[in-house]
Amino acid sequence: MSTARTLMAIATDIWNVMPRRARWVTGTLLVLWLGWSWLFQERYGGASVIVMSVMDRPVSYASVNGNGGGNTLAFDGQNVGGKIAGPYSITGDTARIDWLLSTTGDQYDKQGLRPEEHTITLPMPKRKKGQNNFCILFLPNNMPLIRWATSCILEMEPTVEKYRAHG
């Protein structure tokens, strides 16, 4: 017998043993719960974590609420680099961002910089339908800018443009 049939047989046996009043209460609660979840719960699918940076140092990893994102190279004046990870279920009232600020070879050897672990908790931005990307943009002051977006590249472009080398 398959697992699904076994579980169904167990559920049926439990249902048959229950007194009539308990069946009514259980059935009513189940219908109310299903109706509530269908009518009132916001329905979002999983979200990708997209990490970008305009810092002169690489970010070796970044995560939001324990969901790992990608990494980025040091900002070259044009490309924000970055990687995509997920999809994850990202929920809650706050977003805990953890990241490792790394170094390039020259920064490590010549400037004596060392990798630094950072954590910050920020208010969770409001998510709208269709926004399936959680964007993390690291700014030069080593502060992450976060938001929900349909396209992180397009949403973050005005901010990134301020840091691009024009020439």
Side-chain angles (χ1 to χ4, degrees), residues 59-122:
V59 175
S60 291
Y61 75 84
S63 68
V64 56
N65 293 348
N67 298 302
N71 57 358
T72 68
L73 300 173
F75 183 56
D76 66 3
Q78 291 296 319
N79 299 309
V80 294
K83 302 289 185 277
I84 299 172
Y88 304 112
S89 174
I90 301 172
T91 59
D93 295 331
T94 59
R96 177 183 166 171
I97 311 297
D98 298 305
W99 71 99
L100 178 66
L101 184 62
S102 194
T103 62
T104 63
D106 284 346
Q107 289 169 334
Y108 188 91
D109 295 335
K110 296 178 183 173
Q111 298 175 24
L113 296 176
R114 297 296 179 255
E116 306 166 9
E117 289 187 17
H118 295 276
T119 298
I120 190 170
T121 301
L122 301 169

Side-chain angles (χ1 to χ4, degrees), residues 19-33:
R20 179 172 284 187
R21 178 173 276 162
R23 287 189 212 174
W24 274 99
V25 170
T26 303
T28 302
L29 289 175
L30 180 63
V31 167
L32 289 173
W33 177 76

Side-chain angles (χ1 to χ4, degrees), residues 40-44 47 90-95 122-135 146-150 155:
F40 298 109
Q41 278 191 331
E42 294 182 17
R43 293 183 231 27
Y44 300 118
I90 301 172
T91 59
D93 295 331
T94 59
L122 301 169
M124 181 68 76
K126 181 75 175 141
R127 184 178 184 187
K128 297 177 185 166
K129 283 251 187 228
Q131 294 180 324
N132 296 324
N133 296 318
F134 187 87
C135 314
I146 61 173
R147 68 176 52 155
W148 287 101
T150 54
E155 292 283 330

